[in-house]
């Protein structure tokens, strides 16, 4: 299967909040990637793009919360390996949910119940019944939002 590894239009990874221009994804010349998730939808966009590009190591290092990484690591030597198996096995339902979240945001199909330190981003019940996975539990670490788990 062919996967497009060319960068998407940069405009999709740029946002202005107040007077500040935020690049939520930066692809560096050395091949590294830097992600920012200032608001919960940045996490949705970055997670979806990393999944599209099969950038599982980037997801592990930059988007998964510290407690969730610790949970995987506590399950044995294969913390990353178990995470990788979960994401590869569930790639299609996760990507479908994230795609619908991005597309449905403007139509009110996404509900964000987010406080200062944690929250849930989910598809509305009227939409969610079509999806085996329909919500992200998120936590704030520093200035960025991180993924706690997918339900």
């Amino acid at each position: 299967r062919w996967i497009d590894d060319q960068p998407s239009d940069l405009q999709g990874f740029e946002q202005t909040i107040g007077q500040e221009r935020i690049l939520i994804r930066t692809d560096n010349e050395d091949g590294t990637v830097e992600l920012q998730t200032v608001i919960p939808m940045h996490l949705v966009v970055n997670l979806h793009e990393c999944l599209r590009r099969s950038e599982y190591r980037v997801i592990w290092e930059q988007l998964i919360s510290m407690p969730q990484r610790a949970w995987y690591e506590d399950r044995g030597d294969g913390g990353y390996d178990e995470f990788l198996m979960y994401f590869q096995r569930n790639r299609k339902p996760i990507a479908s949910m994230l795609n619908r979240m991005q597309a449905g945001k403007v139509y009110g199909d996404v509900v964000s119940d987010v406080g200062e330190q944690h929250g849930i981003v989910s598809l509305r019940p009227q939409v969610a019944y079509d999806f085996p996975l329909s919500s992200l539990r998120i936590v704030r670490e520093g200035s960025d939002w991180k993924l706690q788990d997918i339900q």
Side-chain angles (χ1 to χ4, degrees):
R1 174 179 149 139
W2 180 74
I3 297 177
D4 179 14
D5 63 354
Q6 296 300 312
S8 297
D9 180 13
L10 180 61
Q11 298 302 319
F13 299 115
E14 214 177 307
Q15 185 176 23
T16 302
I17 299 178
Q19 299 296 316
E20 185 178 359
R21 180 175 155 245
I22 296 171
L23 289 173
I24 65 171
R25 180 185 174 99
T26 305
D27 293 291
N28 298 313
E29 288 182 20
D30 65 0
T32 60
V33 176
E34 294 175 41
L35 305 176
Q36 289 190 72
T37 54
V38 178
I39 61 174
M41 279 309 288
H42 292 168
L43 179 60
V44 171
V45 170
N46 277 325
L47 183 57
H48 190 228
E49 184 66 13
C50 287
L51 202 58
R52 185 184 75 78
R53 296 181 186 204
S54 297
E55 295 173 334
Y56 299 106
R57 182 61 71 175
V58 175
I59 295 170
W60 174 257
E61 292 173 354
Q62 296 188 49
L63 297 179
I64 301 296
S65 69
M66 288 186 287
Q68 186 65 11
R69 276 197 311 263
W71 180 85
Y72 277 111
E73 289 165 353
D74 287 347
R75 296 174 60 89
D77 333 306
Y80 175 75
D81 293 335
E82 190 166 334
F83 154 83
L84 182 62
M85 279 191 340
Y86 173 81
F87 266 79
Q88 287 177 331
R89 185 176 57 244
N90 293 289
R91 184 172 191 235
K92 186 176 179 181
I94 295 170
S96 295
M97 172 192 62
L98 295 170
N99 188 54
R100 183 57 191 246
M101 283 181 172
Q102 279 187 265
K105 180 69 175 162
V106 296
Y107 300 110
D109 291 342
V110 178
V111 178
S112 294
D113 183 10
V114 179
E116 286 188 34
Q117 297 300 316
H118 56 85
I120 297 175
V121 178
S122 59
L123 294 171
R124 282 202 178 283
Q126 299 87 332
V127 175
Y129 70 89
D130 277 339
F131 297 86
L133 300 170
S134 61
S135 66
L136 305 174
R137 281 191 331 132
I138 61 175
V139 296
R140 184 178 288 284
E141 291 180 4
S143 61
D144 285 326
W145 288 97
K146 305 288 182 174
L147 179 64
Q148 184 63 32
D149 67 26
I150 302 172
Q151 302 172 334

